């Protein structure tokens, strides 16, 4: 995003033109930014550990156009569900290009995963008997809960440690792999995902050491050659102005250093190193473009927009901060105001107080940044406010990559028994 002569541009396209052509609210993705983010991270990790690969966690943003960009860059897919495996397949990725890290899998989930030939990443050994009963996976890993997790989005997205629902307890990891080996599985990896949005490089080497101390012992004792170690996602981005971002080069250096020394310590054959970030690639590469509908002056001055918790759930769900720009008014004097969406629920009052231009008027264009990860993906239809459009910008070109929902999308899949239609 750039501000040129007080006008906001995404790539080389003015947000005003986007609002005119596609309406609001609209998610706008900058293709070049996604590619730059990906390449910066890949360069850092593969420089320090050449046998390295990213698997993009599609849950953060599953628009096939976006996923295709990451596929072109060389990423595999981290899938959380059968439908995410199907999405990978739709864009031409399958088999061991897909890591299936589902949670509390159903029989159907397991059967579909087996049929697809994906890497099976089990959240718990209790799932193993059904997996083996339905057909042996070619390659399997366990998601280890190394006993420690962290997140810069508070406890909300801390995915490991004693309060997390995820992963195998460190004391059970040896038995889990033994059981898998006894069941005739021959190819193995190991995985963890302890937290999301972390900007401190030393966190990544810390968790690498934790996992490797658990996995190294398993490898040695059970004579398992791990083919890959997947350190999960978690590469963070700054959300607040002035907040420091992750030094990805430093994180990569520290991770590779820790990893290589643990590989040596436990006498392992060097496995492929993998990570499955999402936020780092797409988070800062999209904005929601919305509009001010009306301004009320009641107990507080409140700017009413079409960007609400249905469009961007993170502030209402996690108290997350997202920076807001007003097109054409960034240099104007400021005052403390509130800002909200259109839903009949007060959690939709997602900015209780913030310094915004005092000149805001009806019809102004609002731009909310860092909306690319867990933005559209977590939007919903509450109050009949339907999901936004998605637009991809590449330089001066722009493409509609998901049309705005309409009434038919709200009632699709519903049916009314005949007796309720009468009377
Ligand atoms: N791998 C697994 C198994 C995951 O569960 C996740 C995210 C990722 C990778 C990607 O993590 P990332 O690189 O984006 O940190 N909705 C929350 C974030 C939840 C994270 C869920 N798992 C938010 O809006 O902050």
């Amino acid at each position: 995003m750039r501000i040129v002569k007080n006008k906001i541009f995404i790539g080389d396209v003015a947000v005003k033109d986007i609002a005119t052509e596609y309406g609001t609210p609209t998610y706008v993705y900058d293709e070049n930014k996604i590619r730059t983010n990906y390449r910066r991270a890949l360069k850092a990790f593969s420089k320090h550990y050449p046998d390295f690969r990213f698997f993009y966690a599609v849950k953060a943003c599953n628009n096939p156009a976006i996923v295709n960009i990451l596929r072109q860059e060389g990423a595999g897919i981290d899938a959380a569900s059968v439908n995410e495996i199907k999405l990978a397949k739709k864009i031409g990725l399958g088999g061991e290009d897909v890591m299936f890290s589902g949670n509390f899998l159903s029989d159907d989930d397991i059967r579909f995963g087996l049929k697809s030939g994906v890497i099976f990443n089990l959240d718990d050994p209790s799932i193993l008997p059904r997996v083996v009963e339905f057909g042996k996976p070619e390659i399997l890993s366990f998601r280890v809960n190394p006993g420690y997790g962290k997140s810069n989005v508070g406890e909300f997205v801390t995915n490991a440690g004693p309060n997390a629902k995820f992963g195998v307890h460190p004391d059970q990891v040896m038995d889990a792999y033994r059981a898998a080996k006894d069941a005739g599985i021959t190819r193995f990896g190991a995985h963890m995902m302890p937290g999301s949005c972390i900007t401190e490089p030393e966190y990544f080497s810390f968790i690498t050491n934790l996992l490797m101390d658990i996995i190294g012992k398993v490898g040695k004792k059970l004579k398992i050659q791990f083919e890959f170690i997947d350190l999960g996602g978690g590469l963070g981005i700054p959300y607040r102005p002035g907040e420091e971002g992750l030094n990805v080069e430093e994180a990569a250096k520290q991770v590779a250093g820790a990893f290589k020394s643990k590989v040596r310590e436990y006498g392992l054959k060097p496995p492929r190193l993998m990570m499955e970030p999402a936020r780092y690639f797409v988070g800062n590469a999209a904005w929601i473009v919305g509009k001010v509908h009306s301004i009320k002056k009641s107990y507080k001055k409140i700017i009413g927009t079409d960007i609400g918790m249905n469009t961007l759930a993170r502030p209402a769900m996690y108290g997350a901060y997202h920076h807001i720009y007003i097109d054409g008014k960034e240099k104007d004097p400021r005052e403390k105001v509130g800002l909200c969406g259109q839903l009949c629920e007060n959690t939709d009052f997602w900015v209780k107080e913030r310094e915004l231009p005092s000149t805001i008027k009806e019809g102004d264009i609002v731009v909310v940044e860092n909306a690319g990860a867990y933005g559209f993906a977590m939007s919903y239809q509450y109050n009949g406010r339907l999901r936004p459009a998605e637009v991809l910008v590449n330089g001066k070109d722009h493409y509609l990559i998901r049309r705005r929902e309409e009434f038919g999308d709200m009632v699709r899949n519903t049916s009314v028994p005949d007796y309720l239609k009468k009377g």
Side-chain angles (χ1 to χ4, degrees):
M1 195 199 89
R2 291 174 298 137
I3 302 180
V4 183
K5 292 194 182 131
N6 220 12
K7 282 195 185 142
I8 301 179
F9 287 79
I10 295 173
D12 298 325
V13 187
V15 290
K16 198 165 190 332
D17 295 341
I18 302 237
T20 307
E21 183 158 348
Y22 302 103
T24 60
T26 293
Y27 274 86
V28 186
Y29 299 85
D30 183 341
E31 176 172 341
N32 293 328
K33 208 157 168 112
I34 298 174
R35 291 191 190 276
T36 311
N37 289 341
Y38 186 90
R39 287 174 194 176
R40 185 190 315 112
L42 183 68
K43 191 172 162 207
F45 279 94
S46 46
K47 173 177 155 199
H48 295 288
Y49 197 85
D51 188 9
F52 181 86
R53 190 171 185 202
F54 281 128
F55 282 60
Y56 167 59
V58 285
K59 61 177 71 86
C61 175
N62 66 12
N63 188 297
I66 305 299
V67 188
N68 261 307
I69 296 172
L70 292 151
R71 177 193 57 75
Q72 283 184 343
E73 292 294 330
I77 298 291
D78 168 55
S81 62
V82 160
N83 286 320
E84 289 188 352
I85 298 176
K86 288 183 183 171
L87 179 77
K89 201 166 174 202
K90 183 179 162 71
I91 66 150
L93 289 178
E96 293 178 23
D97 286 328
V98 178
M99 177 91 181
F100 183 25
S101 290
N103 220 239
F104 296 94
L105 301 179
S106 71
D107 289 359
D108 287 347
D109 293 337
I110 295 172
R111 288 204 166 93
F112 190 88
L114 286 166
K115 206 172 71 191
S116 314
V118 294
I119 302 174
F120 247 85
N121 185 35
L122 297 190
D123 184 66
D124 195 69
S126 57
I127 309 162
L128 184 67
R130 279 186 298 143
V131 173
V132 174
E133 183 191 331
F134 301 154
K136 248 181 343 205
E138 175 63 30
I139 179 160
L140 179 132
S141 58
F142 284 102
R143 175 175 182 160
V144 176
N145 178 339
Y148 173 82
K150 179 181 159 67
S151 144
N152 292 355
V153 196
E155 273 299 296
F156 294 107
V157 289
T158 299
N159 290 339
N163 286 326
K165 70 165 184 160
F166 303 103
V168 185
H169 189 284
D171 295 348
Q172 299 169 350
V173 174
M174 184 75 78
D175 285 345
Y177 279 99
R178 187 181 286 117
K181 215 180 157 197
D182 289 349
I185 293 164
T186 53
R187 295 176 57 207
F188 293 101
H191 173 276
M192 69 175 163
M193 170 61 198
S196 190
C197 199
I198 295 115
T199 46
E200 296 82 17
E202 54 281 6
Y203 159 82
F204 293 95
S205 46
F206 178 74
I207 58 164
T208 303
N209 282 326
L210 280 185
L211 178 67
M212 293 306 286
D213 279 335
I214 298 166
I215 280 307
K217 289 180 193 123
V218 173
K220 232 175 155 173
K221 179 135 196 202
L222 302 182
K223 300 199 171 35
I224 286 177
Q225 300 283 9
F226 287 99
E227 290 189 24
F228 70 85
I229 304 288
D230 184 334
L231 305 178
L235 302 176
I237 58 168
Y239 281 88
R240 289 176 187 270
E243 198 181 321
E244 221 180 296
L246 171 71
N247 182 339
V248 77
E249 162 66 23
E250 182 58 27
K253 193 171 138 201
Q254 289 195 23
V255 164
F259 188 67
K260 284 187 261 190
S261 100
K262 289 292 173 191
V263 163
R264 272 196 304 276
E265 181 182 334
Y266 291 99
L268 304 176
K269 182 165 167 257
R272 165 176 278 193
L273 185 57
M274 296 181 358
M275 285 189 86
E276 46 191 41
R279 192 188 311 265
Y280 190 83
F281 302 148
V282 295
N284 69 358
W287 296 258
I288 311 173
V289 175
K291 192 179 273 178
V292 175
H293 285 295
S294 60
I295 299 168
K296 75 188 282 181
K297 290 177 182 150
S298 175
Y299 290 93
K300 295 177 175 179
K301 182 171 173 184
I302 304 176
I303 314 296
T305 76
D306 51 16
I307 302 175
M309 67 184 201
N310 53 319
T311 324
L312 179 70
R314 302 188 72 255
M317 265 180 100
Y318 313 127
Y321 180 92
H322 282 262
H323 201 65
I324 297 169
Y325 298 89
I326 308 293
D327 190 34
K329 303 211 160 153
E330 281 304 301
K331 292 187 182 139
D332 289 7
R334 307 229 148 203
E335 64 177 347
K336 280 193 177 140
V337 293
L339 186 140
C340 66
Q342 299 167 294
L343 297 195
C344 300
E345 185 154 331
N346 213 44
T347 29
D348 192 41
F349 188 8
W350 60 278
V351 178
K352 292 287 187 303
E353 191 176 81
R354 196 174 299 178
E355 294 267 356
L356 288 173
S358 56
T359 51
I360 297 180
K361 296 261 179 318
E362 287 179 13
D364 278 353
I365 304 292
V366 183
V367 179
V368 179
E369 87 178 345
N370 288 327
Y374 313 105
F376 182 94
M378 286 172 36
S379 65
Y380 50 92
Q381 298 182 329
Y382 189 35
N383 275 210
R385 297 283 177 194
L386 306 183
R387 290 189 189 88
E390 292 184 292
V391 167
L392 179 68
V393 166
N394 181 350
K396 61 180 180 14
D397 299 324
H398 44 97
Y399 308 87
L400 183 67
I401 56 172
R402 189 180 325 242
R403 70 155 171 79
R404 183 177 309 288
E405 283 187 340
E406 53 197 30
F407 176 68
D409 297 307
M410 187 170 111
V411 290
R412 195 177 53 201
N413 309 329
T414 62
S415 52
V416 180
D418 278 343
Y419 77 94
L420 290 178
K421 293 178 185 158
K422 295 182 201 126

